[in-house]
Amino acid sequence: MSRLRLGLIGAGAWSVASHLPRLQLHRDLVEFVAVNRRDPEMAESVRSRFGFASAHTHYEGVLKADPDIVVIASPVRWHHEQAKAALEAGAHVLVEKPFTLHPDEARDLVATAAAMDRHLLIALGWHYKDIVIKAKDLMVRDGGVGEIEHVSIVMSSTTREALVGRQPSFAADQTAGEIVSSEQVPELTPRPETLTDPAISGGGYAQAQLSHALGLALWLTGLGGAEVFAMMSSPQGTAVEFHDSLSVRFTSGAIGSVSGASAHLAVNAGKHYLVVQVIGSDGQLTVDLQRELLTRYRVDQGEVTVPLAADAGAYDCAGPIDALVALARGDTVANNSPGDLGVRTVEIIEAAYRSARSGRAESVA
């Protein structure tokens, strides 16, 4: 089988600093054919550094290169337009999170992928980590926790600097397929407005980070939102929020609470704090990514703590990239971050922003 032709749309994102090194590890399977960034000098710099055949200032130039796989890493405002065009051009597509701004856009991408018989993935890296895969197994094995009654999601991550337009650096080793710092590869640094202008980002912490946490919880549980009440806070007077507090009623009748907070950059060595707890009629599940803790209790079996490797909860985006390449090649692998999950996540986040504006509970669109 010939190598897959890769197109990258939107090279100005921190996530690309993990995507590209990871894709370079697949050089025997992937040919870097085209990259897009609006700034021509930055686009050319990415092209030359990573060995793309061509660089373009408009995403249509990438699609004209006839890619087999496309990574959408542009600001969320343009995800729907660009991902839809890539799917209709015949590519398998990986979309950065947040998936889309609006639920109807997310639903349209899922429908387009089905119509084109293409794979559609979201860049939710935790879903491919051993701790989360084992948590998913516990939710379906032996009846899981029974009928889900309550879900608690608490997340705090280092986004304060980014949400005021200062770009933090992320230390890692480019050669290991991990995130590289803004100082190492400045051409991959996003424009400040990518996260600070709500017309482009759709909002602040809920878009930038709770899309991760909600995506994880909804994947574990299979739930979808019905109604959301949200309070949001911008303590530094920014145009986007730093902190979020959501109450959610799910379509099943279960309820949940979602807390998201912008932490300071150096806290916990920059490691994410994310805990998901699911309580059901027959037991409960706890996933703590910061402490690398996974437990399930069932009334008929007692409590089980799953052994985990050190740094089991550390974030990387290798899994979605590996899955994109494998699925495009026709290999039998799981898509742990599918488009329909993005629909359910966007529905809750979009309703949360409506609720924060209206001051009342809002139904999911």
Side-chain angles (χ1 to χ4, degrees), residues 87-338:
L87 289 166
E88 290 179 336
H92 303 282
V93 176
L94 171 67
V95 183
E96 252 307 325
K97 41 65 55 188
F99 188 39
T100 63
L101 281 179
H102 305 294
D104 58 345
E105 295 175 335
R107 297 185 195 106
D108 185 51
L109 289 183
V110 171
T112 302
M116 297 299 300
D117 193 25
R118 299 290 89 180
H119 292 290
L120 176 63
L121 299 82
I122 306 170
L124 296 168
W126 272 309
H127 295 213
Y128 298 84
K129 303 285 285 187
D130 190 51
I131 183 173
V132 176
I133 292 172
K134 288 180 176 178
K136 178 71 170 179
D137 179 60
L138 288 174
M139 284 298 296
V140 299
R141 187 199 311 165
D142 305 324
V145 298
E147 183 177 351
I148 296 172
E149 300 169 350
H150 186 272
V151 180
S152 171
I153 304 167
V154 181
M155 184 176 194
S156 178
S157 47
T158 56
T159 54
R160 297 176 73 91
E161 290 77 10
L163 294 176
V164 297
R166 298 198 307 271
Q167 306 301 335
S169 61
F170 297 89
D173 178 6
Q174 180 179 351
T175 61
E178 299 174 353
I179 299 173
V180 297
S181 73
S182 302
E183 286 82 0
Q184 288 174 289
V185 191
E187 58 266 45
L188 299 182
T189 302
R191 296 170 181 259
E193 62 267 25
T194 298
L195 291 179
T196 61
D197 182 352
I200 294 173
S201 65
Y205 194 85
Q207 288 285 56
Q209 295 292 283
L210 282 186
S211 51
H212 268 303
L214 275 166
L216 192 154
L218 297 180
W219 186 63
L220 291 178
T221 62
L223 295 174
E227 186 179 34
V228 183
F229 177 77
M231 292 186 290
M232 298 181 177
S233 171
S234 305
Q236 295 189 17
T238 53
V240 296
E241 90 284 357
F242 271 31
H243 311 302
D244 303 273
S245 181
L246 283 58
S247 294
V248 182
R249 186 178 301 279
F250 298 100
T251 54
S252 67
I255 61 173
S257 62
V258 185
S259 174
S262 291
H264 295 272
L265 186 59
V267 68
N268 297 316
K271 193 172 183 181
H272 296 80
Y273 179 90
L274 176 53
V275 181
V276 175
Q277 185 177 67
V278 184
I279 297 177
S281 57
D282 298 329
Q284 63 189 61
L285 177 91
T286 299
V287 187
D288 187 329
L289 295 176
Q290 185 187 53
R291 296 178 177 86
E292 277 92 26
L293 176 67
L294 172 59
T295 67
R296 187 187 70 171
Y297 169 84
R298 278 187 58 90
V299 294
D300 58 346
Q301 298 175 10
E303 188 162 21
V304 174
T305 299
V306 178
L308 297 166
D311 291 326
Y315 186 78
D316 66 58
C317 209
I321 290 292
D322 294 346
L324 174 68
V325 172
L327 289 167
R329 287 176 52 81
D331 298 340
T332 303
V333 299
N335 179 356
N336 292 350
S337 51

Side-chain angles (χ1 to χ4, degrees), residues 19-36:
H19 296 335
L20 286 176
R22 188 68 186 183
L23 281 160
Q24 286 187 315
L25 300 181
H26 293 291
R27 277 291 194 174
D28 57 329
L29 304 176
V30 177
E31 178 185 359
F32 286 35
V33 295
V35 62
N36 148 252

Side-chain angles (χ1 to χ4, degrees), residues 74-81 100-101 105 197 199-202:
S74 54
V76 64
R77 175 179 173 181
W78 293 285
H79 283 185
H80 172 252
E81 174 188 345
T100 63
L101 281 179
E105 295 175 335
D197 182 352
I200 294 173
S201 65

